[in-house]
Amino acid sequence: MFKVNGNQIEEFKLYLAKFIALKGISATREGVVASLKFLTTFIKEQLNGEVELLPTSTNPAIYTELRGKNSETVLLYGHYDVMEADDLGWQTPPFVLTEIAGRYYGRGCGDNKGQLLAQLLGIATYLREYGELPINLKILIEGQEEQGSRDLNKLVKKYQTSLLANIDYVLVIDGSKNVNGKNVIRLGNRGLLAFELGVKVATRDLHSGNFGNVSENAALKLIGYLNKCYDFRTKRVKIPEFYADIQPATTQELEWIKKLPLPQGQPGSNMAYYHKLMFEPTFNINGMQSGYTGAKLKTIIPHKAFVRCDCRLVWGQRPELIRRQLEQLYHEELARGELEIKFLAEIAPSKTDSSSPYLMELIKTIREVTGDCLIEPIMPGTVPNYVWTDTLKVPTFTVPFANFDQNNHSVNENISRQAFWNGIEIIYHFLERKKRYYGTNI
């Protein structure tokens, strides 16, 4: 069975070092052109593929199609853009690949350059051995993921009947392994609706002695509006129909979460823990601001206040419906100009049926390489997988290669050498299993 070894270790590390050094910062676009050139060259020289750059409002996406011997067609998705990084807090320069104690450190090692490169190196290594692919691979590499994939759905809709037609299923290579270090396959993710409520009652702050009881307090007024959409005593959302369409976990999904480890120090059962994370929506206040927040006392009546909230949505909930219901809930306040709502994010939840015939092949591939594979029915976080399941209408599996403690978006981002190598091996054996399945003599 193929394992990364010998000269490959240094060769693959060198590719990763070059890719990390190019930056490709999503927000500032620093290094984006160089990152595109690196990927274009790699795809042409190592995969024998032709590259098409797909324009967006900011950083373009990369598309290539690699023809195989059989009609089965899989789309591989990753992204080349990274978050910003400065030297503060890093133990190594963030854009210089550094190996320490079995880990590669650098911005993008985990999210997502290391995982993306593992995909490409797995394909390249297979092609070196066999010369031809057993199935068709379409590869879409996004450049806006760290901006919330703002144009991804538009892109998919534009090309769903051309470049992205006739896809059997999608593999999203992003995220982290399970907390216990085991590889996982995720069949879905929670969605997101984020919004801001704002109140303004005057043109400036007022003295609380001179104007108390005769002037409105923006902070108090905002708390009253919050109580209209969330019950802080029962911890229930009061937006009409918020819970109406939630779909319960299936018997199979409950069996899978029984096998997931409870994080160390977490009280209660793993069933209760993962059910709350995967199958129950949330209401979260992620920021509030009003009045004076300095070190000393300042007796004022705040003239404005705002709160930012996010709701993680589960399968069955529709963000566009909840948005309309929230607007209706505050219809009178909005009409009178007493309240302002800004919607900040709207991403639908995604889910692939657990009976998909492609799932078992993926499980067998990962177990063949790493010895084990857990199934997480739903990822608690939010990624735009709805573009595959709802727009393209194809099964979608998230298969993260990076270690759980990759520190993505933080200082000292890393990917373990073993995780990087295993990612390459998983793609290689995925293709080799397809070769055996189809009996392709190549």
Side-chain angles (χ1 to χ4, degrees), residues 292-413:
Y292 177 71
T293 58
K296 297 180 180 180
L297 176 66
K298 189 175 183 181
T299 54
I300 53 98
I301 300 172
H303 77 287
K304 61 182 179 179
F306 74 83
V307 60
R308 289 183 181 142
C309 306
D310 62 75
C311 299
R312 300 287 175 170
L313 307 179
V314 296
W315 185 241
Q317 291 182 297
R318 291 175 291 160
E320 71 279 4
L321 173 62
I322 295 170
R323 170 174 46 80
R324 290 197 300 269
Q325 293 289 2
L326 185 64
E327 289 173 322
Q328 184 60 38
L329 180 68
Y330 292 117
H331 174 73
E332 294 182 3
E333 293 87 348
L334 292 169
R336 293 195 297 264
E338 297 175 358
L339 177 71
E340 181 182 17
I341 300 180
K342 296 178 183 177
F343 289 96
L344 308 175
E346 187 174 315
I347 300 174
S350 172
K351 186 178 177 183
T352 288
D353 195 299
S354 60
S355 64
S356 171
Y358 304 111
L359 177 59
M360 187 50 64
E361 273 300 304
L362 288 172
I363 294 172
K364 289 177 179 178
T365 297
I366 294 172
R367 284 178 177 167
E368 189 176 58
V369 173
T370 68
D372 202 358
C373 180
L374 297 172
I375 307 299
E376 294 183 5
I378 299 293
M379 184 175 78
T382 301
V383 291
N385 280 357
Y386 75 95
V387 303
W388 320 119
T389 57
D390 296 2
T391 304
L392 280 189
K393 301 189 183 305
V394 295
T396 301
F397 308 94
T398 298
V399 183
F401 291 163
N403 35 290
F404 184 79
D405 55 349
Q406 62 169 296
N407 290 349
N408 49 326
H409 293 198
S410 186
V411 298
N412 303 320
E413 183 178 344

Side-chain angles (χ1 to χ4, degrees), residues 219-230:
L220 292 176
K221 197 165 186 178
L222 181 62
I223 290 170
Y225 292 143
L226 266 177
N227 276 305
K228 193 170 181 178
C229 72
Y230 185 75

Side-chain angles (χ1 to χ4, degrees), residues 262-280:
L262 188 67
Q264 188 174 6
Q266 181 68 38
S269 69
N270 62 340
M271 284 290 288
Y273 176 79
Y274 285 108
H275 194 279
K276 286 182 178 295
L277 284 177
M278 296 180 181
F279 299 102
E280 298 178 25

Side-chain angles (χ1 to χ4, degrees), residues 121-134:
L121 287 169
I123 300 167
T125 306
Y126 182 91
L127 285 171
R128 290 177 190 176
E129 179 71 20
Y130 295 106
E132 193 170 6
L133 296 174

Side-chain angles (χ1 to χ4, degrees), residues 120-258:
L120 301 180
L121 287 169
I123 300 167
T125 306
Y126 182 91
L127 285 171
R128 290 177 190 176
E129 179 71 20
Y130 295 106
E132 193 170 6
L133 296 174
I135 60 173
N136 302 317
L137 294 180
K138 296 187 178 187
I139 304 173
L140 183 66
I141 307 172
E142 192 189 1
Q144 294 182 306
E145 198 275 346
E146 301 297 5
Q147 301 173 42
S149 297
R150 63 169 74 174
D151 294 327
L152 183 58
N153 198 38
K154 294 177 185 175
L155 208 64
V156 172
K157 285 181 177 179
K158 180 177 180 179
Y159 295 107
Q160 65 181 332
T161 58
S162 53
L163 300 180
L164 301 178
N166 303 314
I167 290 170
D168 292 303
Y169 57 102
V170 177
L171 297 183
V172 174
I173 313 296
D174 199 1
S176 305
K177 299 180 189 179
N178 190 267
V179 65
N180 68 355
K182 292 184 178 180
N183 284 82
V184 299
I185 298 172
R186 298 187 174 107
L187 304 185
N189 58 267
R190 290 198 290 190
L192 177 70
L193 181 68
F195 57 91
E196 177 182 299
L197 301 179
V199 173
K200 185 176 180 180
V201 297
T203 57
R204 59 182 176 85
D205 294 340
L206 300 173
H207 190 284
S208 65
N210 295 340
F211 293 94
N213 289 337
V214 296
S215 295
E216 289 187 300
N217 184 305
L220 292 176
K221 197 165 186 178
L222 181 62
I223 290 170
Y225 292 143
L226 266 177
N227 276 305
K228 193 170 181 178
C229 72
Y230 185 75
D231 190 318
F232 288 88
R233 183 181 61 83
T234 64
K235 299 181 180 179
R236 296 279 290 181
V237 178
K238 295 162 71 174
I239 301 171
E241 299 185 53
F242 185 82
Y243 298 99
D245 299 318
I246 292 175
Q247 300 299 305
T250 66
T251 302
Q252 176 64 80
E253 289 166 343
L254 293 174
E255 285 298 315
W256 279 329
I257 64 175
K258 278 182 184 178

